[in-house]
Amino acid sequence: MKMPNQVAAQRARGAARQARAQLRAERVAREKRLARAGERVAVELTRRDAAVANHEWRAGTALREMVQTEGLGVREALRWCGVEGLSSREALRMMRLRDGDQDDLKPDGGGDEGTANPDGGG
């Protein structure tokens, strides 16, 4: 026959085990929620970046058309756009996105073969 203290100790150990199991289960559930939320953040930001890149590429293509086909300077093209705060530097960056070449719009028309340059000879 077990002593009353032994029975109480067994019950206390059992309650402690149940509490630890409950805490572990809650921790696992929380980690799963955090992992899912973190994945959603990563996916949405990747989608945003892709959308921004796509729109910047399109804007750069239109700017390049204004400069190369219509013969405007970059600053004049920007005046036609009417976009407050869009700098010549940013416009040039977007124009360069079209070919993925960062050198194709240098004043000397530099860049690799096969890339567009300001003279339209790419």
Side-chain angles (χ1 to χ4, degrees), residues 7 10 13-14 19 34 36 44 92-93 103 116 121-122:
V7 172
Q10 282 182 335
R13 283 191 290 274
L34 289 171
R36 283 192 304 268
E44 294 306 325
L92 287 168
R93 184 192 64 78
D103 296 326

Side-chain angles (χ1 to χ4, degrees), residues 21-31 33:
Q22 179 65 32
L23 286 173
R24 271 194 299 274
E26 289 171 3
R27 192 176 312 125
V28 166
R30 181 174 187 255
E31 288 177 8
R33 288 191 309 271

Side-chain angles (χ1 to χ4, degrees), residues 32-46:
K32 286 181 181 178
R33 288 191 309 271
L34 289 171
R36 283 192 304 268
E39 288 172 2
R40 283 195 320 266
V41 169
V43 166
E44 294 306 325
L45 292 178
T46 299

Side-chain angles (χ1 to χ4, degrees), residues 1-12:
M1 178 166 224
K2 293 186 180 184
M3 302 292 271
N5 284 342
Q6 288 177 331
V7 172
Q10 282 182 335
R11 287 183 183 155

Side-chain angles (χ1 to χ4, degrees), residues 58-75:
R58 290 175 184 216
T61 299
L63 284 164
R64 189 180 287 256
E65 180 181 322
M66 295 171 81
V67 170
Q68 291 180 348
T69 305
E70 300 298 332
L72 300 180
V74 173
R75 288 188 180 147

Side-chain angles (χ1 to χ4, degrees), residues 109-120:
D112 295 353
E113 249 183 16
T115 60
N117 63 42
D119 304 321

